[in-house]
Amino acid sequence: MAFELPKLPYAYNALEPHVDAKTMEIHHSKHHQAYVTNLNNAIAGTDAEKLSIEEICKNISKYPMPVRNNGGGHFNHSLFWTVMGPNAGGEPTGDLAAAINSAFGSFSEFKTQFAAAAATRFGSGWAWLIMKDGKLAVSSTPNQDNPLMDVAEVKGTPILGIDVWEHAYYLNYQNRRPDYVAAFWNVINWAEVAKRFSAAK
Ligand code: MN
């Protein structure tokens, strides 16, 4: 069964003014669609067609580069759409808030580390909040790699991610990646991140 572009769980303009509608539309309907199409082409007729995208990522070193780039692109964007939302932002609560405080000392220190990971990822890539050995950690990956991949420098289960490819922010923020990262805090769907945190524990 071929992979499919997931429906965006809100309107293209729902994240304005933090993420503009045009960026969302191109990002979802063009960029993510291309990853899905190219992934399906890359695995056509192979055993990978029977696997989940998570299973493919976990053994990504066994696959050719088009599967790594487009499979990672499909997993990463599928996560990305769900960890954002309208009327979101603020701070996490409950077990997730406690785990962030335990791992980083405070929510503010977590924000500093996550923003630094996003700002210092050279070129295209992602910054992540991951569960690693039962604890939260911040990491980043190049291109469309992610922490599930066996090739990742820091491996874990991603529960929050920010796309820092220029296509994610250039229309609205041009070269100002830190401004885009700062705005991202206003659209984080912490309920979804908490759900992913519980599942990863
Ligand atoms: Mn992207």
Side-chain angles (χ1 to χ4, degrees):
M1 204 185 79
F3 289 104
E4 287 179 8
L5 181 69
K7 204 170 143 33
L8 199 67
Y10 38 79
Y12 286 132
N13 66 1
L15 306 183
E16 290 200 341
H18 311 294
V19 187
D20 65 284
K22 195 67 180 170
T23 294
M24 287 299 294
E25 182 181 353
I26 296 171
H27 202 173
H28 178 260
S29 71
K30 305 292 186 201
H31 288 279
H32 190 172
Q33 180 64 64
Y35 296 125
V36 170
T37 301
N38 293 333
L39 172 62
N40 286 332
N41 289 339
I43 64 172
T46 75
D47 289 347
E49 283 187 307
K50 300 184 192 73
L51 301 176
S52 70
I53 192 60
E54 289 82 2
E55 288 170 317
I56 291 173
C57 286
K58 283 174 183 173
N59 292 293
I60 205 69
S61 63
K62 294 181 184 158
Y63 296 93
M65 200 49 109
V67 178
R68 178 167 166 181
N69 289 336
N70 295 290
H74 177 46
F75 174 86
N76 296 348
H77 290 84
S78 298
L79 179 146
F80 188 51
W81 310 133
T82 67
V83 297
M84 298 189 291
N87 310 310
E91 294 192 15
T93 56
D95 288 351
L96 175 57
I100 286 174
N101 288 336
S102 164
F104 303 102
S106 66
F107 181 66
S108 165
E109 177 57 24
F110 157 65
K111 283 177 75 174
T112 301
Q113 291 188 28
F114 186 85
T120 59
R121 167 50 57 190
F122 184 77
S124 297
W126 292 73
W128 305 98
L129 176 62
I130 64 173
M131 277 293 276
K132 177 182 169 55
D133 307 323
K135 225 183 154 208
L136 290 172
V138 162
S139 73
S140 77
T141 52
N143 305 313
Q144 293 297 355
D145 286 1
N146 64 54
L148 285 182
M149 292 182 172
D150 58 359
V151 295
E153 203 177 315
V154 181
K155 286 183 262 301
T157 304
I159 67 168
L160 172 67
I162 182 171
D163 187 346
V164 296
W165 284 57
E166 284 186 346
H167 69 225
Y169 61 86
Y170 207 85
L171 287 181
N172 197 32
Y173 296 96
Q174 293 81 51
N175 61 317
R176 305 186 308 277
R177 187 192 289 184
D179 290 355
Y180 158 70
V181 175
F184 182 67
W185 300 107
N186 297 304
V187 298
I188 297 178
N189 176 359
W190 285 112
E192 173 66 23
V193 180
K195 208 170 83 183
R196 291 175 179 271
F197 169 68
S198 294
K201 268 199 295 191

